[in-house]
Amino acid sequence: MADPNTDSAERALERQAERAREVEHRVKNTLQLISSIVLLQGRRAADEAARQALKAVQQRVAAVSVAHRHVTWTDEAEQVEVAALVREIVGDLAGSAGREGVDIDLDLDAVTIPGRQGAPVALLVSEMVGNALRHAYPNGRQGRIKVTVRRTATGFDLTVSDDGVGMTPGAPPTGFGLTVVQLMAQQLRGRLDTSAAQPGLRLSVSVPMDTDASRA
């Protein structure tokens, strides 16, 4: 005979999981709405700097929205497949940039992370690849960007390298995009490494598989 207390506990867990999925769905819809509004505002802005700033905001919101779309449930836990997340974000960025002659190569190990780490990782990918597309190849310069995800003994490494113009020798890396990368690396308790790729620039973030990483 089934234990009524066990059945009741299982039903309560099912209801809790269903409510969590409903909230997740509303969050995704809200992020998509915000992204659309920012995109529309950017198209109507008269100033080019304002348009570019709003476009950058829209891309960041879109990246977070993609992260929420890739959250799946397994045994009541949320998880995200990093490779699928990276592919969609990179595809969106490449389509938005419309850069002919700049190819993006993906080399992605299979890595699964807790669902709450999805948004910071999505923002890392968006900023690292977006910065390369915006700054590495001025004046129609052609080149290749490589995005790598490597599983490690303690987590995974996310690396974006390009063969573009690189940084000015001796100059410290600057820019709001890099600030976002640094903040997301800190939130994930990861380590950011910025180095010359000879030619170009290489950004790499080592992320530990820490179930509490996104609570920092």
Side-chain angles (χ1 to χ4, degrees), residues 175-203:
F176 184 71
L178 186 57
T179 298
V180 174
V181 171
Q182 292 168 336
L183 288 172
M184 292 305 101
Q186 291 173 7
Q187 185 172 349
L188 291 162
R189 296 180 182 172
R191 185 182 71 255
L192 171 64
D193 177 66
T194 304
S195 59
Q198 299 178 350
L201 182 65
R202 178 181 181 274
L203 296 177

Side-chain angles (χ1 to χ4, degrees), residues 53-100:
L54 286 167
K55 181 179 180 181
V57 171
Q58 186 271 332
Q59 288 178 343
R60 290 172 184 126
V61 175
V64 175
S65 180
V66 170
H68 280 275
R69 285 203 301 273
H70 281 269
V71 172
T72 58
W73 283 77
T74 302
D75 296 330
E76 311 304 333
E78 295 180 344
Q79 64 182 28
V80 173
E81 294 290 339
V82 174
L85 178 67
V86 171
R87 288 191 188 96
E88 182 167 350
I89 292 175
V90 170
D92 289 345
L93 289 171
S96 176
R99 287 296 306 270
E100 295 183 4

Side-chain angles (χ1 to χ4, degrees), residues 5-210:
N5 292 328
T6 300
D7 290 343
S8 178
E10 290 178 350
R11 286 195 297 271
L13 287 173
E14 289 174 359
R15 288 194 297 271
Q16 182 178 1
E18 182 61 30
R19 285 195 294 270
R21 285 190 287 268
E22 290 174 357
V23 170
E24 187 73 20
H25 182 70
R26 289 197 296 271
V27 169
K28 288 188 288 188
N29 289 341
T30 301
L31 287 170
Q32 290 169 354
L33 177 61
I34 295 171
S35 179
S36 298
I37 292 172
V38 174
L39 180 61
L40 179 62
Q41 183 67 43
R43 288 173 177 171
R44 294 186 176 184
D47 181 70
E48 177 62 22
R51 283 198 298 270
Q52 292 303 318
L54 286 167
K55 181 179 180 181
V57 171
Q58 186 271 332
Q59 288 178 343
R60 290 172 184 126
V61 175
V64 175
S65 180
V66 170
H68 280 275
R69 285 203 301 273
H70 281 269
V71 172
T72 58
W73 283 77
T74 302
D75 296 330
E76 311 304 333
E78 295 180 344
Q79 64 182 28
V80 173
E81 294 290 339
V82 174
L85 178 67
V86 171
R87 288 191 188 96
E88 182 167 350
I89 292 175
V90 170
D92 289 345
L93 289 171
S96 176
R99 287 296 306 270
E100 295 183 4
V102 178
D103 297 321
I104 304 179
D105 295 334
L106 303 180
D107 186 1
L108 311 173
D109 285 352
V111 175
T112 301
I113 59 176
R116 62 179 173 272
Q117 288 186 313
V121 171
L123 284 169
L124 279 177
V125 176
S126 180
E127 294 301 326
M128 293 162 76
V129 176
N131 282 344
L133 286 169
R134 286 190 297 270
H135 304 301
Y137 306 101
N139 304 318
R141 178 174 175 146
Q142 298 184 356
R144 186 176 297 275
I145 300 168
K146 185 172 184 179
V147 183
T148 304
V149 172
R150 283 283 174 267
R151 178 182 291 276
T152 66
T154 58
F156 70 96
D157 292 342
L158 169 65
T159 303
V160 176
S161 58
D162 64 71
D163 56 358
V165 296
M167 296 184 297
T168 302
T174 58
F176 184 71
L178 186 57
T179 298
V180 174
V181 171
Q182 292 168 336
L183 288 172
M184 292 305 101
Q186 291 173 7
Q187 185 172 349
L188 291 162
R189 296 180 182 172
R191 185 182 71 255
L192 171 64
D193 177 66
T194 304
S195 59
Q198 299 178 350
L201 182 65
R202 178 181 181 274
L203 296 177
S204 184
V205 180
S206 297
V207 181
M209 283 295 190
D210 183 347

